[in-house]
Amino acid sequence: MTGLFDRLPAGLFAPLASQNHRRYWDLLLRLHDQFFGPDAAPPEGEGYTQRSLTLEIERYILDVSDWAPEVEDTPDTPLSVQSNIIYRRLANSGWLREDRIGVRNFVSMPTTVQKFLELLRQFAEEGPQIIGGKVQLIHNQLEQVLTDPAKQAGGFHEAARQARQLIAILSATTMRVREAIDLLAAQDTTAGFIRAFFDDYIGQLYIRDYHELRTENHPLRHRWRIIDAALELRDSPDKRRAMVDYYQSAFRCASREEAETRFEKDVLRFLMFKDIDTHLDRLNASVDRATSRAIAYLNYKLRTQDKLDRLLSISINYLNATDNSIGAAMGTLPGPLLGESRFPAIHKKAVPVVRTGITKKEMSVEQRAHIALKRAMKLHREVTPLHATEYLDRHLGAREAVLSEALTIGSIHDFCVFVFVARMALLSRNHAGAGRKSHPMLGALKNYRFECLSGEWTDNPYICVPRFRVARKTTGETYAA
């Protein structure tokens, strides 16, 4: 697997690790905007010369006043020499690339480095997110894939990436709220606290459409439709085949099983929308805690400051009305300082409370019967692979296969096991080949082979299901690929 440092030059981070790391970052953004970014004017001829870049570096040095001299710099270094030293440092670290054409050197920024700089810039300048727009794009893309899976399958993978990023944003925002609480607690003054609260916490932290996330008109209401669409693309045989064909062709998969694994991984990213309410609850709880703490802090500061001003005013008025004696300045009353009258009143010890022991309440016969009945109801509706095995062995007997209409239902537990077996038949239809081995439910009944008969139905007195056949696998038999 390719790592980060396998794709980037070895010394790329050297300028960003120096004492002028902030200045180098601003300079790289300036050079990117002026020469290499999408908004920059295209160069004339073969490209940009070294002199055009060093002139821009000189202008940047003149614009900033706190550029610290590097270790190899000497005092009073000329401006042109400083710009050439900085240029050479950027070129040697891999941020710039020199190509010699004829007798002149032309400068460019490598494509990989340029893309990496854009990602860093997006991370540094990223503000509050708009969740509604992302959800709407995912929903619209899935609707198009459902309409024509063969032609629109390319957007399914990209929509899955956006869904994963959306869940990551909600999860990370909860942690950012907790970090904001620590930031607010570190403020020493009321003015600093208010500035941090409104600038950093409210203005730069919240999701822009946070207050509309759970309203009826917010695109987040489509989350269950997104889940249904992903499941339909996975479980519908024709649509699944078209999607897997695209994945096998687009990602150059060596086998169809690898393409199915990639497709299932993307489907799971959409199913993460099931947990989005949990993320929203955690986010709301963090926001409520931070807001309550901010309000409590402001109330405390306002009340204590008001009380302190009132006490100081009373003290000043009292000192102005007296002869400024020591006793008056200390605020003591006349009389002995440690007189008996100054001692606090004697408090009598309260009589201990007589505590009674906790008695265990005995259940009545009716209560025990209700509990036993509920336990029996739960056991009758509980179905395990062992129950299914016993049910199938009872009906198969010495036969190799049995049809669904031959499976009798004599109790509630038999009904639950019959529904379980019918579901296995439907799953075996949707997970053909090696997919049966990886499915946990089909793997638990690996000694049986299920076959769903298309277009036929079994209608017994209790339920109507697609007709299916269950056969006992012979020794050494495996699933057909």
Side-chain angles (χ1 to χ4, degrees), residues 169-341:
I169 288 173
L170 291 177
S171 180
T173 304
T174 303
M175 183 56 63
R176 291 184 63 188
V177 173
R178 297 176 184 174
E179 295 173 356
I181 295 177
D182 298 335
L183 173 66
L184 297 176
Q187 303 300 321
D188 296 330
T189 63
T190 307
F193 181 91
I194 295 175
R195 187 183 309 110
F197 182 80
F198 286 101
D199 292 347
D200 301 330
Y201 180 59
I202 299 297
Q204 302 177 13
L205 177 65
Y206 270 11
I207 299 171
R208 290 191 187 274
D209 52 350
Y210 169 74
H211 294 290
E212 293 83 20
L213 285 180
R214 297 197 177 187
T215 59
E216 295 181 355
N217 296 326
H218 195 272
L220 199 60
R221 70 185 185 276
H222 298 310
R223 57 185 179 274
W224 297 113
R225 174 56 184 163
I226 292 174
I227 296 173
D228 293 339
L231 292 176
E232 183 177 348
L233 290 171
R234 185 193 69 179
D235 298 335
S236 177
D238 296 337
K239 295 178 180 179
R240 179 186 180 89
R241 188 182 308 109
M243 298 298 296
V244 175
D245 289 342
Y246 168 79
Y247 272 71
Q248 188 172 6
S249 173
F251 294 100
R252 315 258 179 186
C253 299
S255 62
R256 192 163 185 83
E257 287 75 14
E258 182 182 353
E260 289 184 348
T261 302
R262 281 182 171 269
F263 173 66
E264 292 284 352
K265 184 178 180 181
D266 284 345
V267 171
L268 291 177
R269 291 178 174 177
F270 290 109
L271 298 185
M272 293 171 66
F273 274 86
K274 294 180 180 179
D275 302 327
I276 201 167
D277 287 326
T278 303
H279 290 288
L280 293 179
D281 292 338
R282 292 177 55 203
L283 177 59
N284 290 341
S286 298
V287 170
D288 292 341
R289 285 196 302 269
T291 305
S292 300
R293 186 166 184 174
I295 293 175
Y297 183 88
L298 292 175
N299 288 335
Y300 171 77
K301 284 293 184 180
L302 294 176
R303 290 183 179 182
T304 54
Q305 183 176 2
D306 177 71
K307 184 177 180 181
L308 181 62
D309 291 343
R310 184 169 56 85
L311 294 177
L312 289 176
S313 178
I314 293 173
S315 301
I316 292 174
N317 294 334
Y318 178 76
L319 291 175
N320 290 334
T322 59
D323 56 356
N324 293 328
S325 63
I326 297 179
M330 294 179 61
T332 59
L333 297 175
L337 184 61
L338 298 177
E340 184 177 354
S341 60

